[in-house]
Amino acid sequence: MRQIPVDTSAATVMVAKAPQPKVKDRRTGEIAVDKDGVTLMTVEVMFSTPDEVEILKLTVPQPGVSEDLAMGTPVALTGLVASAWENEFNGQKRHGIAFRAVAVTSLVAAASKPKAA
C-alpha cells in the first residue's frame, strides 16, 4: 500500500478527542498492535488550514503519543502519512483514507519547558 506524506506546515492541529487504544476487533475488544508488538493508539485531531477544517483519526504507536493530550491541546504531527484502503464486507465495498503518524506531540508541554541557560 502506497503511503503519501502529508505536509502539516500550513496547518493548525489540535486534539479533538483524547487518545484511545485502537481496537482491532470490536466483538472481542482485542487491542491492535503493530508488527513489533507495540500497542497502537487512535488520536482524533482537528486539522485546520486556511481553506478548511477536518477531523482526522490517526493511528499512532503508543510511545509516540505525548502524555496529557486533552481536547483542544495544540499538537505537532511527526511523520504523518495517508494511505488509501478498500475492503469488502457482506458484499459491500468500502474505501477511504487511513492516516498514520510516528508521533503526536503536545506543543503546550514544549512551550512551557524552561530554556537552558
Side-chain angles (χ1 to χ4, degrees):
M1 181 179 344
R2 183 159 197 260
Q3 294 185 333
I4 303 164
V6 178
D7 180 12
T8 61
S9 62
T12 299
V13 185
M14 293 191 299
V15 175
K17 186 176 178 184
Q20 304 285 322
K22 182 174 179 143
V23 178
K24 180 178 180 178
D25 186 335
R26 284 186 250 167
R27 290 174 291 146
T28 65
E30 180 184 0
I31 302 300
V33 295
D34 67 11
K35 63 182 179 351
D36 298 322
V38 175
T39 299
L40 296 174
M41 303 293 286
T42 299
V43 182
E44 292 185 39
V45 297
M46 181 189 74
F47 191 89
S48 174
T49 63
D51 299 325
E52 63 184 299
V53 175
E54 289 190 57
I55 301 295
L56 303 180
K57 187 180 282 192
L58 313 176
T59 298
V60 185
Q62 189 172 28
V65 177
S66 284
E67 292 182 20
D68 301 326
L69 289 184
M71 187 168 71
T73 304
V75 293
L77 305 177
T78 303
L80 181 62
V81 294
S83 302
W85 60 268
E86 181 177 283
N87 64 25
E88 189 170 333
F89 184 72
N90 289 335
Q92 299 231 2
K93 283 193 176 184
R94 298 180 56 172
H95 62 277
I97 299 173
F99 293 93
R100 185 171 176 126
V102 172
V104 177
T105 309
S106 170
L107 295 177
V108 173
S112 64
K113 287 183 182 177
K115 295 182 180 177

